[in-house]
Every structure is written in C-alpha cells, then in structure tokens.
Amino acid sequence: MYKKIFINIFFEKKRILIAFISVFIILLLYVGIQMVILFSQSTQFSIPDVQMNGKLDDDGVYRYKMYNDTNGLSQRVKELVGNEMRVYGAISRNICSIESAKTFEKVNYMVYGVYDDFFNNELKNSLKEGRLPSPGKKEAVIGSYAARYFNVKVGDKLEPPVTLNKNPGNTDSSQYIVTGILNDNVYYFKGAIFISRQTFEQGNGKNNQENTTLIYFRDSDSLKAYDKVRKIRNEIINKYNATNIIENYEQKYNSLKNMIYNLAFVFVISILILFLLISYFMKGVTKKVGLLKALGVSDSFITKTFIGGFGASILLSIIIALIGVHAVKAYLNYNLSQFLGYSVQQYMINTYVYLSVILLAVLLFGVVLAIIKYKSYKISPRDAMLKV
C-alpha cells in the first residue's frame, strides 16, 4: 500500500520516478567526479615559484645534458633579491621524457644536482619514507613516480646512469643509493632524482656549470622583489642564455582561490539542478496531499509514506552514484598507469567527496520532506475537499 501510494500519488507513474532518480544520480555523479578531479589538481607541494632553464639545443631534442649552461645566473638573482627569496643554482640532466596525447600527461625523469641546503630547506618535510642524503655519500632522494618507474625502494641502487656530467659514462650506473622517496603530493618533482652537487663535485674533481635556477618566495612580499628580476629579463635571456622561464607563483598561490571558485561553480550548478528537481516534484503536491487527506489519510501516514519511498530512492541514488564515481576514478588511474607503465593513484576519493554527495542528497530529502510536512499540516480536510 505504501509503495502504491508513493508511486501513484507522488509520481503518478513508475517511469517518472525512474526518470527522477536517474537525473538525481547524474547530478550526484557529476558532483563526485568534479570533486575527485579538483582535489587531484590541488597536490602541489615543494613547487618552485620560478624556474629558469638554459636554452635547449637548436633541434629541440631532450638529450642527457638537457639545458645549456646559465653560469652565474643564480648568483645574479641573489644579488638582486637578497634575502627576499631562496635562490638555488642547480644542474639538471634528462634521463628520459614520456608524454601521452591521450591523457595529456608528461613526465621528465631527471637528475637534479643541488647544494645540500636545498635538501634541508625544500625537501626535508616532503619525504614519504627514508631520509635525506648524507654529505659526502653517493645517495639520492627521488620522486614517487621515479621510484615506481625505476622499480626501486629505499636502500636500492639506481640502475640508470646518474651523473651531472653532460654525457653519462659506463661507470655512472648503479652508483647511487636511494635513501628517501618524496610524497605523492610533491607532484612537480614526481620524476626527479636529487643528488648532492657538492658531493659530486668533490668526488669528480671538476665543476659542472649550472643550467637551472630554482626560486622560492619567502612570503607575499617576495613578489615585489621579483619585479627586480623581471626588469633584467632581457639580460637573463641574452647574457645567461636562459630562454625557458617558468613562473609558477600565480598558479601556486592562486590554486586555493581557483579551487574555491571551481567548487563554488559546481555548487551553483548543483543547486540549480536540485531546484529544478524539487520544483518538478512539488508540482501539484498540494492537490496530491489534499487528495490523501480528503480520503481520510492522516498526516503521519503521509509523512511515513514519503520518508519510506523517497528515502529509499535517495539512498539508491547515493549508492549508484558512488559506485559510478569509484568506476570513473579507477578508469582515470588505469589510463594514467597504462601510459606511465606502473600503477599510480593520482585520482583519489577522500572524505570530502563522500560528504559532498551525501550532503546534496540530504539537502534534497530535507527540503522536500519539509514541504510535504508543511503542505500536509497546512491544508485541512475541508479545504482538501474543496481543492480536489
């Protein structure tokens, strides 16, 4: 009896109920997937605010030496900005680069030779496991993707050639031991292998010229200091041959703001669709409730019928939507893993994904329940008879 009243009175036809549930599932699925994507894009830690690289070879090929030298550039920047920024001269070498046209994902597996203060200042709090390299020892800290790609863990030797020389030699393989692996949220350096530039230079008896400068802002006031660097942009390009200047600070400091904007957009779209669903469901509800009351059905029976039928519909929608979100998440990670050649979990479902889906469902249920109770309480049997 409850089922017949719920379907025939509130929805009139079973197919209308099925259509209503389908639209609501699509809405929950949309919100869940958007939340998964948004939170996957928020994993940006240890990212330099500015990275200046030397010019590539004229043919644009990523050889092992990677960028051409920019000797003296980091020192020039330090002279301009003083203590307003943390500036590091580094040597970067390219082991290999892979890119997927399907997922638009690109990974450079690179060796970075940095001075020891970089480890302590920028990577100390970003280790997933292990420790930082010890001074004077051939040890390395690597990104999470690099660990999977080279199939190594803490304590293993790196088989690919690791050197800061422009061309690797036969003796450069299996000489560095992995002492630490970076967190997955250190996405900018996911394919990096960090070694001590000081240790390398002491062991090899020669200095390689830097070809990369990594700049980290200390606070929001650093942006003013960076204006001094912008003013010598032509000098940086012409004198130091640094033609590849990557400015991450806007993306880095606006990532939270952009995430809030995107969440607000998803919220607004969801509310609009929710409003349309409620408006459709409430169409003629006064007449429907009035009909029930005119037949002598009590307010409590009407409420129970609604809570049972609509609650079951909402619960079914939540379950199907979450199954769909898990399926999409698995598909995205599968495609990325297929491209990379090893298993990754870049897209994840956290508590906020569950909360957003459940809260949206509770909101719909609560609003419609309140309207039903109000209509049932407001209309009297006499008025109901007159409205029927």
Side-chain angles (χ1 to χ4, degrees):
M1 183 177 179
Y2 285 100
K3 181 179 177 182
K4 289 183 178 180
I5 291 177
F6 177 72
I7 296 176
N8 296 332
I9 299 299
F10 286 106
F11 285 95
E12 298 178 359
K13 296 178 182 179
K14 185 181 291 186
R15 69 169 180 269
I16 297 178
L17 173 61
I18 294 173
F20 183 89
I21 294 175
S22 300
V23 172
F24 190 57
I25 289 172
I26 293 172
L27 172 61
L28 295 180
L29 190 61
Y30 166 77
V31 172
I33 293 172
Q34 289 299 314
M35 294 291 287
V36 169
I37 294 174
L38 285 174
F39 280 108
S40 71
Q41 294 172 347
S42 67
T43 56
Q44 295 291 342
F45 292 84
S46 299
I47 179 173
D49 292 283
V50 182
Q51 179 173 335
M52 299 178 178
N53 303 314
K55 182 181 179 183
L56 288 171
D57 288 342
D58 291 336
D59 57 12
V61 176
Y62 280 17
R63 296 180 173 84
Y64 184 84
K65 77 170 188 176
M66 198 59 178
Y67 308 109
N68 286 290
D69 298 342
T70 59
N71 187 39
L73 175 57
S74 62
Q75 186 60 38
R76 178 75 173 102
V77 174
K78 288 178 183 178
E79 293 171 357
L80 285 174
V81 302
N83 294 323
E84 295 296 322
M85 304 177 189
R86 301 188 300 276
V87 182
Y88 307 95
I91 300 172
S92 55
R93 302 301 185 204
N94 182 57
I95 296 178
C96 64
S97 300
I98 58 174
E99 186 173 3
S100 170
K102 184 176 181 179
T103 62
F104 302 102
E105 182 80 13
K106 181 178 181 180
V107 182
N108 293 324
Y109 296 101
M110 299 183 64
V111 177
Y112 286 90
V114 295
Y115 288 127
D116 293 344
D117 59 342
F118 180 88
F119 288 107
N120 293 316
N121 294 339
E122 311 304 336
L123 300 182
K124 185 176 181 179
N125 297 321
S126 299
L127 289 175
K128 177 170 64 175
E129 54 182 301
R131 59 173 176 80
L132 297 175
S134 299
K137 294 186 178 180
K138 289 187 175 183
E139 298 176 341
V141 167
I142 66 177
S144 61
Y145 278 29
R148 296 181 178 100
Y149 184 77
F150 297 114
N151 193 26
V152 293
K153 56 184 181 294
V154 172
D156 291 346
K157 285 187 176 182
L158 285 164
E159 292 184 6
V162 176
T163 178
L164 299 184
N165 295 327
K166 293 183 178 180
N167 296 295
N170 295 328
T171 61
D172 292 325
S173 298
S174 301
Q175 59 176 343
Y176 274 86
I177 297 175
V178 177
T179 62
I181 298 175
L182 298 175
N183 286 317
D184 290 340
N185 57 15
V186 187
Y187 195 69
Y188 193 80
F189 292 121
K190 57 185 179 291
I193 298 173
F194 287 98
I195 66 173
S196 170
R197 183 176 171 184
Q198 290 155 302
T199 299
F200 182 85
E201 291 172 348
Q202 291 169 2
N204 289 270
K206 63 177 181 178
N207 296 336
N208 284 278
Q209 303 299 333
E210 66 185 48
N211 61 0
T212 297
T213 298
L214 304 173
I215 301 173
Y216 291 81
F217 293 173
R218 292 190 182 275
D219 49 44
S220 57
D221 292 334
S222 297
L223 189 57
K224 298 178 182 177
Y226 184 63
D227 286 337
K228 299 177 183 178
V229 180
R230 279 179 165 175
K231 290 178 181 179
I232 65 163
R233 189 179 183 91
N234 289 335
E235 178 186 341
I236 291 173
I237 294 174
N238 298 324
K239 182 177 179 180
Y240 297 100
N241 205 25
T243 58
N244 186 7
I245 302 175
I246 306 170
E247 297 178 336
N248 298 310
Y249 59 88
E250 288 189 2
Q251 174 189 352
K252 183 178 177 180
Y253 288 101
N254 290 333
S255 59
L256 179 59
K257 186 187 297 184
N258 292 335
M259 187 174 178
I260 292 173
Y261 287 156
N262 289 333
L263 286 173
F265 176 77
V266 172
F267 177 77
V268 170
I269 293 297
S270 302
I271 293 299
L272 287 175
I273 297 175
L274 203 60
F275 175 77
L276 293 175
L277 283 173
I278 293 173
S279 299
Y280 176 81
F281 182 78
M282 290 296 103
K283 185 179 179 181
V285 72
T286 300
K287 182 179 179 181
K288 295 172 183 177
V289 172
L291 175 62
L292 291 173
K293 295 199 70 172
L295 294 173
V297 179
S298 65
D299 291 343
S300 60
F301 187 88
I302 294 174
T303 303
K304 286 180 181 178
T305 302
F306 168 78
I307 291 176
F310 204 71
S313 301
I314 293 294
L315 182 60
L316 177 64
S317 300
I318 293 174
I319 293 172
I320 294 176
L322 289 177
I323 291 173
V325 172
H326 276 274
V328 172
K329 183 264 298 185
Y331 176 76
L332 293 173
N333 284 325
Y334 172 78
N335 277 339
L336 185 57
S337 299
Q338 286 290 103
F339 157 63
L340 294 171
Y342 47 83
S343 177
V344 295
Q345 292 294 321
Q346 178 178 330
Y347 299 94
M348 302 185 71
I349 297 178
N350 56 24
T351 305
Y352 295 104
V353 176
Y354 289 109
L355 283 177
S356 61
V357 171
I358 293 173
L359 286 177
L360 197 62
V362 170
L363 179 61
L364 174 63
F365 182 80
V367 171
V368 176
L369 175 60
I371 294 174
I372 290 292
K373 288 182 71 68
Y374 174 77
K375 295 290 187 182
S376 180
Y377 170 78
K378 191 75 174 175
I379 190 169
S380 66
R382 180 177 177 277
D383 292 335
M385 290 294 294
L386 293 175
K387 289 179 177 291
V388 174

